[in-house]
Amino acid sequence: YLKISKLALAFAIIHSKPPGKSCKEYTEHLAKTVSEQDFGWKSKVEVLEAEVLRLRQELLLNKICPRFCLENDASAEVLLDQECINPMSYSSQLEDSGCDISNDYAFDSLGIASDFHQSEHNVNTSKRWLERVPPLNLCCTGKEESLTAPVQFLQHLLEIRKLSEGGILQADFTQLENDSFTICNSVSQLLDGLTVFYNSPKFPVSNVLTEAVCVLISLITDTKLSNHVLKKCFKKLEEFKKNLIQIILRNSSVNRFQALHAVSNTLVLLGRNNILRNSLISLLLSEVRQFAEQLLQAHQMQAMYDITQYENIFPLCTILEQLLQNETEESNVSSSDYDGEEKIEFLKNLDQIILHLSDEFPLFSLYLWRVSVLLNSAQIQ
């Protein structure tokens, strides 16, 4: 049937081709016309799917809290205005190289790390990252356009959570269990949009992208919402973490350090969630261990090694050190008690690796040693 169809199509093209055009040229013209029509239909389908998702988001919010209407709720306005923390200061004076800095948080490409640490000093930790934000511009283009809808939906979800905690509204968050499609698609869109940005970042960063990171961190650190989100989106979050790690390792642009710092900040903030922390530590330990073994092999054989990857491995070591250090400092979280398989693999031949690399690569050896100390801190204590 397929052969007969192809033959019939060939005869139809030959008989209908205009004079002055070869069969090949006419066939290419027809193929281009059909592909443009397909692209048009695909675009229409994407628009309709986005509209369906938006309506499902509105329906889910209405099921969770039928009375939620932030613009018309005067009491909600008062509560939000009172509890609103200082607006985020977006970094607009960014150097290309990202090397001229006075402290770690001054060099925050997304303008989020300093706000996150400042908010940690609040007595009521549930207020963290739930400040009121102005409506986002719906006329965004490019990377920002795909982020607008999920960011707004998740912002409203967080606002309902905050207002219900303050006794202003009654909310039923068990509805999240009944509509896994909406929450999964919203979080997936958010993560995909951030991945696209991190793959080819442009500075200064727009408010939409900055807010997207804030909403993501708010979502996974919220005591009531995080369980619902992680239950449905754990695989997607794991994929997102792996993508961010690979972005750090594979980035070879000259002025890449500013972008790498932004990715590193996001990974550290993701690691503040107890469920995501252990898997993130395992991923980082695996990458650092594999690179250390490859570097040792290249050193012993006097072979060439990738200097770019060598430079990029240090952000991973720094992230790993911060996550392990944070765990050690939190007495109620047994982070230094991390006993995954990667810990055993990482420590197995570490002494020999450090011994052979310490002369040629002293800084990297020092980082390896510091990570090993943090991994063994529970046994030392």
Side-chain angles (χ1 to χ4, degrees), residues 230-373:
L230 291 173
K231 189 183 298 183
K232 298 174 176 63
C233 311
F234 184 76
K235 289 183 178 179
K236 188 68 180 181
L237 284 164
E238 289 294 295
E239 180 186 342
F240 179 62
K241 291 188 296 184
K242 291 177 182 178
N243 288 338
L244 294 189
I245 290 173
Q246 291 306 314
I247 287 171
I248 291 176
L249 289 174
R250 294 174 182 173
N251 197 323
S252 59
S253 61
V254 176
N255 294 319
R256 64 186 180 276
F257 302 105
Q258 185 175 3
L260 295 187
H261 184 82
V263 180
S264 299
N265 278 339
T266 302
L267 281 171
V268 170
L269 294 175
L270 287 172
R272 291 179 179 274
N273 179 277
N274 294 339
I275 297 176
L276 298 178
R277 179 189 292 127
N278 284 347
S279 61
L280 180 54
I281 290 174
S282 295
L283 290 172
L284 293 169
L285 284 175
S286 176
E287 292 292 345
V288 174
R289 175 182 57 81
Q290 290 178 30
F291 177 78
E293 292 173 352
Q294 293 169 6
L295 187 62
L296 176 61
Q297 185 178 5
H299 177 63
Q300 290 175 338
M301 298 175 62
Q302 298 296 310
M304 297 292 292
Y305 65 93
D306 188 347
I307 184 65
T308 301
Q309 194 172 15
Y310 176 77
E311 292 174 344
N312 290 347
I313 202 69
F314 286 99
L316 296 191
C317 293
T318 303
I319 297 167
L320 188 55
E321 192 173 357
Q322 287 185 53
L323 293 177
L324 292 171
Q325 186 66 41
N326 287 341
E327 287 186 353
T328 305
E329 290 173 354
E330 297 173 8
S331 57
N332 59 333
V333 179
S334 58
S335 62
S336 53
D337 292 339
Y338 167 78
D339 285 322
E341 293 181 5
E342 280 302 327
K343 175 180 177 179
I344 300 172
E345 289 294 320
F346 184 83
L347 296 174
K348 187 187 300 181
N349 300 317
L350 188 63
D351 291 341
Q352 290 297 318
I353 293 175
I354 292 175
L355 179 64
H356 287 92
L357 294 180
S358 57
D359 289 338
E360 191 73 21
F361 306 98
L363 183 60
F364 181 56
S365 300
L366 177 62
Y367 269 81
L368 290 177
W369 175 78
R370 282 161 55 168
V371 170
S372 69
V373 169

Side-chain angles (χ1 to χ4, degrees), residues 108-308:
D108 179 10
S109 304
L110 289 177
I112 57 174
S114 56
D115 297 303
F116 190 89
H117 287 278
Q118 181 181 0
S119 66
E120 283 189 318
H121 296 293
N122 293 345
V123 177
N124 185 358
T125 56
S126 64
K127 297 178 183 178
R128 196 179 301 169
W129 289 104
L130 294 176
E131 67 268 35
R132 184 183 179 210
V133 291
L136 296 175
N137 181 13
L138 295 177
C139 300
C140 302
T141 57
K143 303 171 187 176
E144 302 171 5
E145 188 174 0
S146 62
L147 283 171
T148 303
V151 166
Q152 287 185 326
F153 165 66
L154 296 172
Q155 277 178 332
H156 288 159
L157 201 60
L158 289 163
E159 287 166 357
I160 292 175
R161 164 79 174 89
K162 183 176 184 179
L163 293 172
S164 65
E165 189 180 53
I168 303 297
L169 294 175
Q170 294 293 325
D172 179 17
F173 287 101
T174 59
Q175 293 294 332
L176 292 174
E177 298 288 345
N178 303 327
D179 193 355
S180 58
F181 173 85
T182 302
I183 190 72
C184 283
N185 275 30
S186 301
V187 174
S188 294
Q189 281 189 5
L190 179 64
L191 297 179
D192 289 341
L194 288 173
T195 302
V196 170
F197 165 72
Y198 284 130
N199 270 309
S200 54
K202 292 183 179 180
F203 298 99
V205 180
S206 72
N207 293 2
V208 176
L209 289 161
T210 307
E211 193 59 41
V213 178
C214 295
V215 167
L216 175 62
I217 303 306
S218 304
L219 205 59
I220 65 171
T221 53
D222 187 275
T223 53
K224 286 191 176 180
L225 294 180
S226 61
N227 290 334
H228 294 286
V229 174
L230 291 173
K231 189 183 298 183
K232 298 174 176 63
C233 311
F234 184 76
K235 289 183 178 179
K236 188 68 180 181
L237 284 164
E238 289 294 295
E239 180 186 342
F240 179 62
K241 291 188 296 184
K242 291 177 182 178
N243 288 338
L244 294 189
I245 290 173
Q246 291 306 314
I247 287 171
I248 291 176
L249 289 174
R250 294 174 182 173
N251 197 323
S252 59
S253 61
V254 176
N255 294 319
R256 64 186 180 276
F257 302 105
Q258 185 175 3
L260 295 187
H261 184 82
V263 180
S264 299
N265 278 339
T266 302
L267 281 171
V268 170
L269 294 175
L270 287 172
R272 291 179 179 274
N273 179 277
N274 294 339
I275 297 176
L276 298 178
R277 179 189 292 127
N278 284 347
S279 61
L280 180 54
I281 290 174
S282 295
L283 290 172
L284 293 169
L285 284 175
S286 176
E287 292 292 345
V288 174
R289 175 182 57 81
Q290 290 178 30
F291 177 78
E293 292 173 352
Q294 293 169 6
L295 187 62
L296 176 61
Q297 185 178 5
H299 177 63
Q300 290 175 338
M301 298 175 62
Q302 298 296 310
M304 297 292 292
Y305 65 93
D306 188 347
I307 184 65
T308 301

